[in-house]
Amino acid sequence: SVLPLMGGRVCGVGKEKFHKSQHWGYCNNVAMLLAEDKPGIGGEPLPGQKLTPKSSVFPAELGCGAPAWLAFDKQVLSFDAYFEEEVPDKNQEPYRIRHCKIYFYLEDDTIQVLEPQVKNSGIIQGTIVRRHRIPLPSPNEDQFYTIDHFNINAEVIFYARRYKIIDCDQFTKHFLRKMGFKLNPPGNRPDDPYTKERQKILDSVNPLRPYERIDTLKQFLEHDGHVLRFYCVWDDPESLFHDPRELVLHYYLSDDTIDIKEVIPVNSGRDVVPLFLRRDKLPKYAPTGLYQPGTITSRTVLNVFGNLVGNRGRYILDNRGILFHFDYCSVREVEQEQINLAVFIIEDFTPVPYKAPPPPKAEKPIPPYTGFGSEEDSLCSCMSLLPKPPQKDFKKFMEKDRCGLESNTLRFLAKLVTDSPIDKDRKFIICYFLSDDTISVFEHSQRNTGIIGGKFLEKGRIKKPGQELFKSEPSEYFKAQDLFIGARVCFHGHNFLLVDADEYTINYMEKHANEFAVADTGFIFKKLKDIAEPRSREIRQVFAAADPQHTKVIEYDPFRNLIVSITDGAFSEHEIMTLGRHYGEKEEYEIDHHFLLAKAQEQLKKNSFENFEQLSTILVYNDREKCGALPYETCRTICKSFKLPLSDDLLQTILTMFEDDHKQVNYKKFVDAVNWREHQIPSFHTIKLPPKNEDDWNGQPPFLPVKRIKYLPLLDDLFGKEE
């Protein structure tokens, strides 16, 4: 025991140890027992006191003031070392040299020792010392190894085992030099004497039965399931009919084996066998690799028994690979050389022609159409003994059939091309059904004409005129591309002029401009440019004369007349209309705001929506700047998340009504406008659009939603901007 006495004197066992680890001090005039590592005033060490560093001390200029675990994260110093291990129980091996790696982790001064694996060493290798802080050897076991203890050609002792450092990697050398260390030259790496002696013995021993083994496991693991296929032909001149036989050769990369399968033609009269050559290694038929009996070689040739037992060949295993020494075909030889298994010819990867060109296939004459039934149905009776009904384009039917508001029907207004005063004013509606390319014609009813309107032509496919009736070739039928404004068509002897089309038809043709040339703006523009480019100055003057007020726009009728005169009638009415729609000044109809708000209030009232205060609260909450306005998308997203029972189009239109110049929506006015409880709109106001009266047709250009054309962009696109 240790007993403290007055004056700081101690007695008892362990006096020296006590003085080494602890000493007396005073705190508030009270004597206290203090640890040795506690510094004095200002952090200065006391007289006779030696402070032990807790970790490596790095120069201040190396870091950025960050802690070591952050500044040196994932940075490790690597040293090559070895140690000697005594082997007391073996006379042949008094000691052995074991090489290892010492890793010093800069973030926390921990050390790890690893020994690389050596095949067939019989020693448990891997981690020798797990990662932790290693104390110094006695008598400094209270301190730990730091970076100052490591250098090349230096020795370190880890738990009574002495390691000799012989080298380090480039990062470690650079780091130590940057720390100010002077690196010693690399040391030699000694070899283990027993391993060296053992290798000499193995090299000098020449066993009597040296089995020549080839490790094929790597090849199997890398190429298992990889098979090369080659198409071959065997030209057998000694066969009865001297016909070439087609074969398929498979080369298995996993074990360099080959099998061959014959391709048996139908009705060839040959027996079907599984394989022409079973899978095996294919030896080369070259005499250079086979030693005959009596040949003087560097090794002894073993005796071979004949067919003495059961009339089967019995051989003694030739372990030296002398008697039965064959070279086998490899994949390079299959690709580049000929394989002599009869006559196989495979050269490079260029196909070798071996067959005579097939005779031309005789065309099957088709008898002419008899007039009974449809042409397609009569043609099916010529194709087989059991006629089948003609197949329809089901895919086209599913894509172009009516679906919702998409009718997929093109409608044109037409009139008869005739000199009869009775038929001249008759009007027809021609419907083209895209799902099955059929056409139907209806006549528009007119009063006091004496003609009953209604169905004029039954729905069906219509042949183009001028074709022979009884012929072998299939007839041509009217397609959607044959119908456009200004086209002249003949349906069963009736000549029609298409004078107008509905808005759906025009929009559909412009949407599918790649199918309809008359609605393709690019094609029409190129066609017009080829005609008008030589007369650019004259055409500019003509358009300027048509606009005496310099408004930069002209009416559609003068524009049409100018295009007709420039192109000399080469443009159809539909092509002129497409240009007019592209460069037209679209009229925007004024929308009745009261009507839209009344419609919105009606929808909200039908759905019993009354949470206007909560909607206003959410909008105010999202207004961080408290300016009374929110972006359009924000208001729309809030309304959709709040499940406001309004359609998307109606909601977007009403939000646009309350937008300012900066695309900010006044949400207070928006909520007040749709609040049917407090601000109910009493009545609806209808939107008045100019009617389209088809009865007023008088041979003039068709009705267009655009009436005025901006001709300056057209001229700039045709001839470039005028300076």
Side-chain angles (χ1 to χ4, degrees):
S1 63
V2 179
L3 301 176
L5 300 177
M6 292 183 63
R9 304 172 72 182
V10 296
C11 64
V13 182
K15 176 179 178 182
E16 295 296 333
K17 185 176 182 181
F18 174 83
H19 278 291
K20 182 177 180 180
S21 59
Q22 297 178 348
H23 68 278
W24 286 96
Y26 290 89
C27 182
N28 296 330
N29 296 326
V30 178
M32 307 184 85
L33 194 62
L34 303 177
E36 183 183 3
D37 57 352
K38 183 176 181 180
I41 299 175
E44 296 294 335
L46 299 175
Q49 185 181 23
K50 182 180 179 182
L51 299 179
T52 58
K54 295 183 178 180
S55 60
S56 299
V57 180
F58 301 102
E61 60 273 9
L62 289 182
C64 57
W69 59 269
L70 181 60
F72 300 105
D73 184 30
K74 298 181 181 179
Q75 296 188 14
V76 184
L77 304 184
S78 176
F79 298 92
D80 296 330
Y82 72 91
F83 64 91
E84 295 183 4
E85 183 182 28
E86 294 184 0
V87 185
D89 298 335
K90 294 182 66 176
N91 296 330
Q92 300 87 354
E93 188 182 10
Y95 68 94
R96 61 173 66 112
I97 302 294
R98 298 176 63 177
H99 301 277
C100 59
K101 287 274 190 180
I102 299 177
Y103 297 104
F104 185 88
Y105 295 84
L106 296 173
E107 56 181 318
D108 53 1
D109 288 357
T110 54
I111 300 173
Q112 185 182 17
V113 182
L114 296 177
E115 184 179 9
Q117 296 285 345
V118 178
K119 187 176 181 181
N120 297 328
S121 64
I123 304 174
I124 299 177
Q125 296 171 323
T127 302
I128 298 177
V129 179
R130 64 177 178 82
R131 179 181 172 182
H132 67 289
R133 295 189 67 190
I134 300 178
L136 294 173
S138 181
N140 299 318
E141 63 271 8
D142 57 338
Q143 303 178 23
F144 297 93
Y145 276 98
T146 63
I147 193 174
D148 301 324
H149 298 91
F150 291 88
N151 201 337
I152 300 176
N153 272 335
E155 294 184 353
V156 292
I157 300 176
F158 299 157
Y159 301 111
R161 177 173 286 174
R162 188 179 300 273
Y163 296 84
K164 180 63 179 281
I165 301 175
I166 57 176
D167 204 354
C168 61
D169 59 4
Q170 291 297 328
F171 172 76
T172 304
K173 292 180 180 179
H174 177 72
F175 186 85
L176 293 178
R177 289 194 183 100
K178 195 173 181 181
M179 289 284 297
F181 288 90
K182 182 179 180 181
L183 295 180
N184 300 326
N188 297 327
R189 180 175 181 178
D191 296 328
D192 184 26
Y194 178 75
T195 305
K196 189 175 181 180
E197 186 65 24
R198 180 68 178 172
Q199 187 64 34
K200 289 181 180 180
I201 297 174
L202 293 177
D203 294 340
S204 61
V205 170
N206 188 11
L208 297 179
R209 302 180 65 181
Y211 291 94
E212 297 181 0
R213 298 183 181 274
I214 301 175
D215 185 12
T216 59
L217 179 60
K218 178 181 178 182
Q219 180 181 357
F220 174 79
L221 295 177
E222 290 181 352
H223 299 289
D224 184 30
H226 297 172
V227 182
L228 305 183
R229 180 169 57 179
F230 300 89
Y231 298 97
C232 318
V233 60
W234 176 27
D235 188 7
D236 188 8
E238 298 180 359
S239 61
L240 179 61
F241 300 102
H242 191 199
D243 54 340
R245 303 174 67 174
E246 297 181 5
L247 307 169
V248 178
L249 184 145
H250 295 123
Y251 188 96
Y252 299 87
L253 295 175
S254 59
D255 54 359
D256 295 329
T257 55
I258 294 175
D259 69 11
I260 301 175
K261 185 176 182 180
E262 184 177 4
V263 180
I264 306 296
V266 180
N267 299 327
S268 63
R270 299 185 183 274
D271 296 332
V272 179
V273 293
L275 288 174
F276 185 82
L277 177 69
R278 66 178 179 84
R279 180 177 176 180
D280 200 354
K281 286 193 174 184
L282 184 62
K284 296 180 182 178
Y285 285 88
T288 56
L290 180 62
Y291 293 99
Q292 300 297 327
T295 304
I296 300 176
T297 62
S298 58
R299 297 181 181 180
T300 304
V301 179
L302 302 181
N303 295 327
V304 179
F305 291 101
N307 298 334
L308 302 178
V309 181
N311 198 21
R312 297 177 61 186
R314 300 294 182 182
Y315 305 95
I316 295 178
L317 180 62
D318 181 12
N319 296 318
R320 298 179 182 272
I322 300 290
L323 184 59
F324 298 101
H325 178 72
F326 291 102
D327 291 336
Y328 295 97
C329 293
S330 64
V331 65
R332 294 179 180 269
E333 294 156 352
V334 173
E335 294 174 357
Q336 300 176 359
E337 299 180 1
Q338 298 181 3
I339 302 177
N340 299 316
L341 178 65
V343 181
F344 281 87
I345 302 178
I346 301 178
E347 185 175 1
D348 297 331
F349 289 103
T350 304
V352 178
Y354 66 94
K355 286 184 178 180
K361 188 176 181 181
E363 295 184 1
K364 184 178 181 180
I366 299 177
Y369 175 54
T370 59
F372 295 97
S374 64
E375 292 185 5
E376 294 80 4
D377 188 53
S378 298
L379 183 61
C380 291
S381 63
C382 302
M383 296 299 177
S384 61
L385 295 177
L386 299 177
K388 297 181 180 179
Q391 297 292 330
K392 296 182 179 180
D393 193 347
F394 185 74
K395 180 181 179 181
K396 182 179 180 180
F397 176 78
M398 294 300 295
E399 291 178 352
K400 300 297 183 180
D401 193 20
R402 175 185 292 272
C403 181
L405 299 179
E406 286 289 333
S407 63
N408 287 315
T409 303
L410 307 183
R411 297 178 178 86
F412 298 90
L413 180 64
K415 66 176 184 178
L416 285 173
V417 180
T418 179
D419 296 333
S420 173
I422 298 176
D423 297 334
K424 186 179 296 184
D425 296 332
R426 297 172 65 180
K427 297 182 180 179
F428 301 87
I429 298 176
I430 298 177
C431 300
Y432 186 92
F433 300 91
L434 296 170
S435 59
D436 53 0
D437 299 327
T438 55
I439 299 175
S440 66
V441 182
F442 293 85
E443 184 174 2
H444 183 66
S445 299
Q446 302 183 63
R447 293 182 178 182
N448 301 325
T449 59
I451 299 175
I452 300 176
K455 184 186 295 184
F456 182 82
L457 181 63
E458 185 73 25
K459 179 182 177 182
R461 300 175 67 192
I462 302 178
K463 296 180 182 179
K464 291 184 178 181
Q467 301 183 74
E468 185 182 353
L469 179 60
F470 304 105
K471 62 182 186 303
S472 301
E473 295 79 13
S475 300
E476 294 185 9
Y477 293 86
F478 279 100
K479 299 293 182 181
Q481 290 76 14
D482 300 324
L483 305 181
F484 52 87
I485 299 175
R488 294 176 179 265
V489 294
C490 180
F491 295 161
H492 301 302
H494 298 275
N495 296 319
F496 293 94
L497 173 64
L498 307 185
V499 295
D500 199 358
D502 61 3
E503 189 66 20
Y504 174 82
T505 302
I506 298 174
N507 291 334
Y508 181 90
M509 296 175 74
E510 291 179 352
K511 185 178 179 181
H512 301 81
N514 57 334
E515 302 177 11
F516 300 92
V518 294
D520 188 354
T521 307
F523 175 78
I524 299 172
F525 180 79
K526 184 178 181 301
K527 182 178 176 182
L528 178 61
K529 187 175 181 180
D530 294 339
I531 298 174
E533 194 168 15
R535 305 158 51 194
S536 60
R537 184 177 298 275
E538 178 186 352
I539 293 174
R540 286 185 182 273
Q541 294 176 357
V542 171
F543 273 95
D547 182 23
Q549 303 297 330
H550 302 288
T551 59
K552 300 181 180 179
V553 293
I554 58 176
E555 298 294 329
Y556 179 80
D557 290 343
F559 171 79
R560 172 189 174 275
N561 296 332
L562 288 175
I563 296 296
V564 171
S565 63
I566 291 171
T567 60
D568 295 332
F571 273 31
S572 65
E573 291 289 345
H574 202 124
E575 291 174 318
I576 300 175
M577 182 197 66
T578 302
L579 276 179
R581 287 170 62 90
H582 184 72
Y583 292 100
E585 185 180 52
K586 296 179 176 57
E587 297 181 1
E588 297 182 0
Y589 304 110
E590 184 179 357
I591 300 177
D592 193 337
H593 293 174
H594 292 281
F595 172 78
L596 294 178
L597 294 176
K599 188 69 175 177
Q601 288 188 3
E602 181 187 13
Q603 291 187 12
L604 295 175
K605 187 175 182 180
K606 286 183 178 180
N607 290 274
S608 302
F609 183 84
E610 300 180 357
N611 299 330
F612 298 104
E613 294 183 0
Q614 188 176 357
L615 176 61
S616 179
T617 303
I618 295 176
L619 292 170
V620 172
Y621 174 77
N622 286 271
D623 185 9
R624 305 299 183 184
E625 299 179 358
K626 305 302 178 185
C627 60
L630 286 173
Y632 168 83
E633 289 296 335
T634 304
C635 293
R636 180 175 176 272
T637 304
I638 293 174
C639 293
K640 298 300 291 183
S641 62
F642 201 72
K643 297 182 179 180
L644 195 67
L646 292 177
S647 62
D648 291 340
D649 296 338
L650 184 58
L651 176 61
Q652 294 175 10
T653 306
I654 295 177
L655 288 175
T656 307
M657 291 167 49
F658 299 99
E659 275 187 344
D660 56 10
D661 297 336
H662 303 287
K663 301 296 182 181
Q664 299 287 323
V665 178
N666 191 329
Y667 57 84
K668 294 182 180 179
K669 293 183 179 180
F670 165 72
V671 176
D672 293 340
V674 298
N675 190 345
W676 59 273
R677 278 292 187 186
E678 299 180 0
H679 305 89
Q680 185 174 3
I681 298 178
S683 61
F684 287 172
H685 297 270
T686 58
I687 302 176
K688 296 183 179 180
L689 299 177
K692 179 180 179 180
N693 189 3
E694 296 178 351
D695 295 336
D696 296 338
W697 174 257
N698 54 3
Q700 296 300 319
F703 167 81
L704 288 176
V706 289
K707 295 183 178 180
R708 301 198 300 174
I709 311 299
K710 296 182 288 186
Y711 64 90
L712 287 182
L714 172 62
L715 297 178
D716 293 341
D717 293 342
L718 283 174
F719 314 118
K721 292 187 177 181
E722 189 176 13
E723 298 181 358

